């Protein structure tokens, strides 16, 4: 039998064993990834022709297998180099960062000596200043014996941890294979979903799963993926959700699974946003300011050990209780008990947990932590994406950036003298763009070279200044700087998947006009495709993933992606779906639609009193409809969604829906109450959807439509129809939440009667054409 082996990257090993002292995240702009790659290229281009780069090295110590890539080796001088790019004053680099760099190059030095039979070697840290293009070289001479001793010392510090992790992994997989489903049987549709998930992992393909609400998707996806972890050698599961409620549902599902298997050593972590996790928001992230950053790495080992101990099973079978997950509150308590930062403790624990629950951005955005860790550690991961109909809009935002001219005008007045000139160049080029554009909105086929050049120069100047003046803090300048970096990054990959447009403020004087520049991603596929390829399996699931080719095209799903439309547990008799085709909700007809909509709602309420939701395409339309309804039916309780509701206000709105209450809540389609809201039984017995949910026809969407037509040959559907109908089906899905629910949905617009629109509705719906006369008769009989 082959002995167990634990593989660890050189960087990960050294970060575990050699990182000490303070957490120090003072804002000193570091080179971008592209600048770092270019900097490495400059350094290596200065070496001799026989200079070797990106040398794959590996070595073993006991059960440890250590691997990595050394930056460069000069065979003539017998010098191994580790190249680091930076900005600013090298003397201000924290000592613990320098110590980490030396640790890495020493490990590489041992691995190279052993690989090539060298008796000694010169090790060099090459620090390359992106601004000045100068190298600072620090070097040390070592014998192979010295480096072997160093390597074995580092491995010795890590090996106890590695052995513990191997024991955990073996016990975890053993328990997972024996684990049973937490219920006596699957719900209708839940088995079909679970089987599709497991098969996708078994075949190493991605999956799009359209699964209706009410079947238990969280348990139905996590359970088979946990079984797959043991059977298919998967290291971790990432459960990604669009909202906090989705993360909680995943945590609840894990708790349910653990209750049925209390001895299962399953480590679960919830990732919270930095703004939420931060204990001292008034302090900077370094030891001189925040006490939780002071000595962070010295106290981290004890905090890490406490977190893992909390998640370890205890007791014997039949008497043990399932240990808790590291949700944000639990992890915060552990962090504060050890006087370390909760946010950065959570980043550390992501390395050692089996299930990590967080937002989409943790794996899919341009600087995603979980994706970076996956690449660094060569993890085999299965990714679950909940409520995946949100992925297109969310991913578009991840890879878009905008800037406002007025922000530059303000900065020119408040920045130090050294930055005024580069910002003035940006302002000048921006003025020219506004002068050359006669219309309020215009999209361009290419990025403006002179403006982008000025913007890049300004970003470089800001980087250099802030590197030289780390104590200078100006939030508006930092915001502009990060925007400029994002613009530069998106410019490198600008293509058909994106638009560049300029929108000028209407009626502004030419001498002082304001405008917004935007690089607007419209097809996230080029950015997301590599993320899917980095996983063992990615499964996206939602109640509204039709048509599947739209999501496959927009998100860049692999050609091998599997598709399953899970059977609904609901019956057509549970939901009366009425199409009110005698009413048009088109923009030109909205004023005339108010009275017929109010009458329809009033008559339905009279026929069956209870709680309803009414959805409209905008706040303006909603307010007019609510006013009209209240005027005609003043005895019916009404409450309304307001703009920019906070969490407490949203909760107050939903608290109106009780088992005993009656009335109508007015809301905006696609807003807080159109999805992710669970109001089972009498808490909600019906919904009125007075719109197809089509995005507004405006210059931006028309540009998107034209581009979609060019790329996919389905411009109108990809821009308007599919996104709109997803909102409609999501909103209607609030009514039937369990197999015992009964309810009514009115789809108010003649276009809902079209076959191509009805094809986008759930197959279990039985759709009827609403008859105003029949409704009036039944309501009059009910009132009598």
């Amino acid at each position: 039998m082959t002995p167990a082996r634990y593989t660890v990257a050189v960087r990960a090993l050294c970060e575990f064993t050699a990182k000490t002292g303070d957490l120090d995240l003072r804002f000193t702009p570091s080179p971008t990834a592209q600048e770092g790659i270019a900097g490495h290229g400059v350094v290596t281009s200065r070496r001799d022709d026989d200079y070797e780069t990106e040398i794959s090295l590996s070595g073993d110590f006991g059960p440890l297998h250590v691997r990595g890539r050394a930056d460069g080796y000069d065979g003539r001088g017998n010098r191994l180099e580790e190249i680091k790019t930076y900005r600013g004053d090298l003397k201000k680099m924290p000592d613990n960062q320098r110590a980490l760099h030396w640790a890495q190059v020493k490990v590489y030095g041992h691995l190279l000596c052993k690989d090539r039979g060298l008796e000694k070697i010169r090790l060099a840290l090459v620090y390359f200043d992106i601004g000045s293009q100068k190298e600072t070289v620090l070097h040390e001479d070592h014998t192979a014996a010295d480096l072997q001793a160093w390597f074995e010392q580092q491995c010795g510090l890590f090996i106890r941890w590695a052995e513990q992790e191997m024991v955990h992994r073996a016990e975890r997989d053993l328990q997972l294979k024996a684990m049973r489903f937490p219920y006596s049987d699957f719900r209708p549709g839940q088995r079909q979903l679970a089987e599709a998930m497991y098969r996708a992992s078994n075949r190493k393909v991605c999956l799009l799963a359209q699964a209706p609400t009410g079947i238990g998707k969280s348990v139905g996806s996590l359970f088979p993926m946990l079984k797959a972890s043991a059977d298919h050698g998967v290291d971790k599961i990432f459960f990604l959700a669009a909202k906090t409620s989705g993360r909680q549902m995943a945590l609840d599902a894990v708790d349910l699974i653990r209750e049925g298997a209390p001895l299962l050593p399953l480590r679960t972590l919830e990732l919270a946003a930095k703004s939420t996790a931060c204990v001292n928001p008034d302090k900077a992230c370094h030891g001189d300011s925040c006490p939780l950053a002071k000595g962070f790495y010295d106290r981290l080992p004890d905090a890490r050990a406490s977190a893992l101990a909390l998640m370890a099973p205890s007791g014997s079978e039949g008497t043990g209780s399932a240990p808790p997950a590291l949700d944000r509150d639990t992890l915060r308590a552990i962090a504060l008990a050890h006087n370390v930062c909760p946010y950065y403790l959570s980043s550390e624990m992501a390395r050692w947990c089996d299930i990590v629950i967080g937002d989409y951005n943790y794996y899919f955005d341009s600087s995603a932590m979980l994706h970076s860790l996956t690449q660094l550690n060569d993890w085999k991961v299965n990714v679950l994406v909940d409520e995946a109909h949100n992925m297109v809009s969310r991913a578009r935002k991840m890879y878009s950036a905008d800037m406002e001219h007025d922000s530059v005008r303000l900065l020119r007045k408040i920045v130090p003298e050294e930055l005024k000139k580069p910002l003035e160049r940006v302002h000048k080029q921006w003025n020219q763009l506004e002068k050359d554009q006669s219309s309020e909105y215009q999209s361009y086929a290419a990025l403006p070279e002179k403006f982008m050049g000025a913007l890049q120069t300004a970003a470089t100047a800001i980087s250099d200044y802030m590197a030289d003046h780390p104590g200078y803090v100006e939030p508006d300048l930092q915001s502009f700087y990060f925007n400029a970096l994002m613009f530069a990054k998106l410019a490198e990959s600008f293509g058909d998947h994106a638009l560049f447009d300029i929108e000028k403020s209407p009626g502004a004087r030419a001498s002082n006009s304001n405008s917004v520049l935007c690089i607007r991603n419209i097809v996230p596929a080029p950015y997301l495709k590599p993320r899917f390829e980095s996983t063992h399996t990615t499964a996206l699931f939602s109640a509204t993933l039709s048509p599947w080719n739209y999501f496959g095209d927009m998100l860049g799903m692999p050609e091998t992606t599997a598709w399953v439309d899970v059977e609904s547990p609901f019956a057509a008799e549970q939901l009366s779906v009425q199409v009110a085709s005698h009413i048009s909700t088109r923009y030109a007809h909205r004023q005339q639609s108010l009275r017929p909509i109010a009458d329809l709602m009033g008559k339905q309420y009279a026929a069956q009193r209870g709680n309803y939701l009414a959805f409209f395409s905008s706040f303006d339309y909603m307010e007019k409809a609510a006013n009209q309804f209240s005027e005609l039916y003043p005895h019916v309780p009404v409450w309304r969604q307001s703009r920019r509701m906070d969490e407490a206000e949203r909760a107050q709105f939903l608290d109106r829906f009780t088992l005993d209450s009656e009335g109508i809540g007015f809301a905006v389609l696609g807003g807080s109450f159109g999805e992710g809201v669970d109001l089972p039984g009498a808490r909600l017995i019906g919904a009125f959807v007075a719109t197809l949910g089509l995005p507004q026809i405006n210059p931006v969407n028309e540009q998107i439509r034209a581009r979609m037509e060019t790329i996919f040959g389905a411009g109108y559907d990809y821009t308007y129809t599919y996104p709109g109908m997803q909102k409609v089906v999501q909103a209607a899905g609030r009514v039937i939440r369990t197999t015992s629910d009964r309810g009514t949905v009115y789809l108010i617009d003649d276009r809902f009667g079209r076959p191509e629109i009805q094809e986008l509705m759930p197959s279990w719906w039985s759709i009827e054409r609403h008859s105003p006369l029949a409704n009036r008769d039944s309501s009059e009989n009910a009132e009598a």
Side-chain angles (χ1 to χ4, degrees), residues 272-283:
K274 186 176 182 180
S275 59
T276 303
C278 184
V279 176
N280 300 313
D282 59 326
K283 293 179 172 59

Side-chain angles (χ1 to χ4, degrees), residues 405-406 409 427-440 504-515:
H405 196 170
D406 277 352
R409 288 193 175 96
H427 172 62
K428 181 179 178 181
Q429 292 299 326
W430 207 323
N431 278 340
Q432 189 61 49
L433 292 175
E434 291 174 346
K435 182 180 178 181
D436 292 343
Q437 180 172 307
S438 58
S439 58
E440 289 182 1
K504 296 167 62 175
S505 299
R509 298 193 309 274
S511 60
N512 194 32
S513 62
N514 188 31
S515 63

Side-chain angles (χ1 to χ4, degrees), residues 77-92:
N78 190 27
R79 186 169 86 166
L80 182 68
E81 295 184 335
E82 180 76 6
I83 304 168
K84 303 293 183 183
T85 57
Y86 75 99
R87 286 186 180 278
D89 186 355
L90 188 60
K91 295 177 183 177
K92 294 179 181 178

Side-chain angles (χ1 to χ4, degrees), residues 119-280:
E119 295 184 358
K120 61 181 179 179
I121 194 170
R122 170 163 286 192
L123 305 180
L125 290 179
V126 181
Y127 289 104
F128 181 74
D129 187 340
I130 291 295
S132 67
Q133 300 280 292
K134 293 182 179 179
E135 299 176 32
T136 299
V137 181
L138 309 177
H139 58 79
E140 295 179 353
D141 293 320
H142 289 274
T143 66
D146 288 342
L147 292 176
Q148 180 174 347
W150 167 265
F151 173 75
E152 291 178 354
Q153 180 190 34
Q154 302 310 300
C155 289
L157 293 171
F158 186 74
I159 203 165
R160 181 170 171 272
W161 185 269
E163 289 171 343
Q164 172 186 301
E165 289 300 293
M166 287 191 292
V167 170
H168 164 75
R169 176 67 176 263
E171 182 62 22
R172 184 202 74 172
D173 288 354
L174 183 66
Q175 294 283 346
L176 285 176
K177 288 180 179 180
M179 179 180 65
R180 295 184 178 276
F181 193 65
Y183 294 109
S184 58
D185 199 2
F186 290 87
R187 295 183 190 178
Q190 197 176 42
R191 180 183 292 277
Q192 185 184 5
L193 174 65
E195 289 176 348
M197 292 277 178
Y198 186 87
R199 284 197 301 269
S201 179
N202 188 47
R203 294 171 53 204
K204 304 178 186 179
V205 299
C206 292
L207 173 70
L208 281 168
Q210 182 165 269
T213 299
I215 68 169
K217 291 194 289 289
S218 297
V219 173
S221 58
L222 272 169
F223 177 78
M225 285 305 188
L226 284 169
K227 299 290 281 188
S229 295
D231 295 341
H232 307 151
V234 173
D235 298 306
K236 297 182 185 296
I237 296 172
F238 300 150
F239 189 105
L240 308 178
K243 298 178 181 179
T244 303
S245 58
R247 299 205 306 267
Q248 187 57 54
M249 290 177 69
L251 287 167
D252 292 343
V254 172
D255 286 344
L256 185 67
I257 291 170
R258 292 291 299 271
E259 287 172 8
L263 298 182
L264 173 63
L266 191 65
R267 302 170 180 170
T268 304
L269 170 71
E270 179 190 16
L271 294 174
K274 186 176 182 180
S275 59
T276 303
C278 184
V279 176
N280 300 313

Side-chain angles (χ1 to χ4, degrees), residues 578-590 593 617 621 689-697 716 720-721 724-725 728 747-761 767 769:
Q578 303 280 330
V579 174
S581 57
H582 64 291
I583 303 174
S584 169
T585 63
R586 293 171 178 82
Y587 186 79
H589 304 150
R590 284 183 185 170
S593 73
S617 57
Y621 194 17
V689 184
T691 171
L692 263 72
L694 305 181
Q696 183 183 13
I697 294 180
Y716 189 85
Y720 295 105
T721 307
M725 284 303 297
V728 169
L747 303 177
I748 306 172
D749 194 279
D750 60 289
R751 290 168 289 181
F752 281 121
R754 295 177 180 174
E756 67 272 19
I757 296 296
Q758 294 192 1
E759 285 179 4
L760 301 175
M761 299 177 188
I767 303 167
R769 186 175 294 274

